[in-house]
Amino acid sequence: MGWLNWLQGYREDEGLNLESDADEQLLIYIPFTQVIKLHSIAINGPEDEGPKTVKLYANREHMGFSNVNDFPPSDTAVLSPENLQGKPVVLKYVKFQNVRSLTIFVEDNQSGSDLTKIQKIVLYGTTVETTDMKGLKKIEDH
């Protein structure tokens, strides 16, 4: 099975970060143009201000900070220093078989400070064959 690198950092410059605004929390919504099977995720960040608790939601739209805790996450990851340096976190694969969108909720960071920084997000997965014409049989009206 060949894993595709779906989303890489927009820039490779470590000085350019996605940063939280009012507190340590971040909410990131990623829609896909094709249905995917998601296998693992890597989130890079600085040792002290990098994300710690990350909740992932498959196919959940219209989530905001006010209602994110109303829904059970598809998976939760607690990132280690090794994860922040690029070691992927393997996800509960069964929960990410037909993903049309992914919402990433960063609940807190490594140091408990009010600022969270993300340097890169990498998603690993494969596309899902949405239509297999060979497997379809013609249905006739009688």
Side-chain angles (χ1 to χ4, degrees):
M1 207 177 219
W3 296 112
L4 299 176
N5 192 343
W6 270 98
L7 178 70
Q8 282 201 11
Y10 187 67
R11 300 176 180 102
E12 295 298 323
D13 184 346
E14 288 187 14
L16 299 173
N17 303 298
L18 172 63
E19 296 182 4
S20 60
D21 188 13
D23 58 22
E24 74 280 9
Q25 296 184 337
L26 282 166
L27 193 59
I28 303 162
Y29 176 73
I30 304 170
F32 299 107
T33 57
Q34 295 181 332
V35 179
I36 66 164
K37 293 181 182 182
L38 191 59
H39 175 267
S40 54
I41 185 170
I43 301 177
N44 293 32
E47 186 177 328
D48 53 347
E49 295 170 321
K52 182 176 180 183
T53 308
V54 178
K55 295 181 178 179
L56 304 166
Y57 300 85
N59 305 322
R60 279 270 182 213
E61 297 180 7
H62 311 296
M63 292 181 72
F65 289 106
S66 62
N67 70 348
V68 70
N69 287 316
D70 294 344
F71 304 101
S74 303
D75 204 353
T76 300
V78 178
L79 303 182
S80 68
E82 293 80 22
N83 295 130
L84 293 176
Q85 296 301 313
K87 179 181 178 189
V89 174
V90 177
L91 302 175
K92 293 178 184 170
Y93 192 57
V94 69
K95 300 277 189 171
F96 297 94
Q97 291 295 296
N98 290 295
V99 181
R100 291 171 185 80
S101 68
L102 181 69
T103 302
I104 303 170
F105 174 52
V106 177
E107 193 169 58
D108 56 15
N109 59 39
Q110 298 290 324
S111 65
S113 70
D114 285 341
L115 184 64
T116 299
K117 294 181 181 180
I118 293 177
Q119 296 164 335
K120 182 189 289 188
I121 298 174
V122 183
L123 303 174
Y124 299 94
T126 58
T127 58
V128 174
E129 296 298 327
T130 54
T131 306
D132 182 5
M133 297 305 286
K134 295 175 191 170
L136 297 177
K137 294 184 178 180
K138 185 177 179 183
I139 299 173
E140 297 179 15
D141 292 328
H142 292 284

